[in-house]
Amino acid sequence: QVQLQESGPGLVKPSQTLSLTCTVSGGSISSGSYSWSWIRQPAGKGLEWIGRIYTSGSTNYNPSLKSRLTISADTSKNQFSLKLSSVTAADTAVYYCARDAGAGAPDYWGQGTLVTVSS
Amino acid sequence: ETTLTQSPAFMSATPGDKVNISCKASQDIDDDMNWYQQKPGEAAIFIIQEATTLVPGIPPRFSGSGYGTDFTLTINNIEAEDAAYYFCLQHDNFPLTFGQGTKLEIK
């Protein structure tokens, strides 16, 4: 069974870059007809899809975040990563990584990691 | 962008009850609707795909219905372990969007 685990700093200063990594076990991120997504949820609010990377390396980003966002993959480590630049308090959220099944929607999720943007 | 309006935000049920959670899309999304269950501190679990198909391994007391703009997640014969946060997701168009979620409490 596929398992995903998010990791990264829990505290980021305003204007800096938020960096998270998702480590995948139980399957290779470079095989199969899957894509790999990031999703976030601010406290007390709904979920927001951030973006995804395909096995080809191509990406789709949420237009609301596109100018600040980079999603990349390291197939040698079976990891994919998120970088969000110029963060503000509005970027404080629990961040999830997920695998997208063939229909293009998540089937497996990580447990999530809380990132707080504060000085 | 497709807005999903999910209701109710909170509901309380007794074991054995039947509950319905609604998700309404702001535009036609065919059957590109999924439902998920999440418990605190745990990974979300995929329970319904393509509006009506039960994900393998999910108990048959869970079911989904709907097409186009109106969708429903139904849980029959509620059990204590069904206490969780439930949310819908549309994958018909970019960006993917989510409902606001429903917290289900079991008395």
Side-chain angles (χ1 to χ4, degrees), chain B:
Chain B
E1 175 171 323
T2 301
T3 300
L4 297 181
T5 303
Q6 184 173 343
S7 62
F10 175 85
M11 64 190 314
S12 184
T14 300
D17 282 354
K18 173 182 175 179
V19 301
N20 291 310
I21 298 171
S22 170
C23 196
K24 295 185 185 297
S26 60
Q27 61 185 300
D28 190 330
I29 59 167
D30 296 336
D31 63 353
D32 295 330
M33 170 66 72
N34 293 351
W35 291 93
Y36 301 84
Q37 175 196 71
Q38 187 173 32
K39 298 180 181 180
E42 298 183 8
I45 294 173
F46 188 22
I47 57 176
I48 299 289
Q49 57 186 327
E50 307 314 304
T52 61
T53 302
L54 191 66
V55 172
I58 301 302
R61 62 180 181 275
F62 290 89
S63 64
S65 62
Y67 189 90
T69 60
D70 288 357
F71 301 87
T72 301
L73 172 68
T74 299
I75 312 174
N76 285 292
N77 196 20
I78 284 258
E79 298 186 6
E81 67 181 27
D82 299 332
Y85 175 78
Y86 293 86
F87 59 91
C88 55
L89 169 146
Q90 70 80 21
H91 59 94
D92 178 75
N93 56 79
F94 281 113
L96 277 62
T97 50
F98 296 86
Q100 291 293 100
T102 297
K103 184 177 180 180
L104 173 62
E105 172 193 83
I106 308 300
K107 299 172 189 171

Side-chain angles (χ1 to χ4, degrees), chain A residues 15-98:
Chain A
S15 80
Q16 293 190 342
T17 296
L18 181 161
S19 297
L20 294 174
T21 295
C22 182
T23 300
V24 179
S25 58
S28 171
I29 67 167
S30 58
S31 64
S33 55
Y34 302 114
S35 54
W36 305 89
S37 279
W38 288 98
I39 295 152
R40 69 181 183 179
Q41 185 170 29
K45 297 186 178 181
L47 291 147
E48 179 181 33
W49 180 78
I50 297 171
R52 66 164 58 128
I53 186 165
Y54 295 86
T55 54
S56 64
S58 62
T59 53
N60 293 135
Y61 295 156
N62 190 319
S64 68
L65 298 168
K66 187 174 183 178
S67 64
R68 301 191 289 134
L69 183 62
T70 302
I71 296 176
S72 60
D74 185 339
T75 56
S76 68
K77 295 181 179 179
N78 218 36
Q79 295 174 334
F80 62 105
S81 299
L82 162 74
K83 291 188 187 297
L84 185 65
S85 64
S86 306
V87 296
T88 69
D91 295 309
T92 294
V94 176
Y95 285 76
Y96 299 94
C97 59

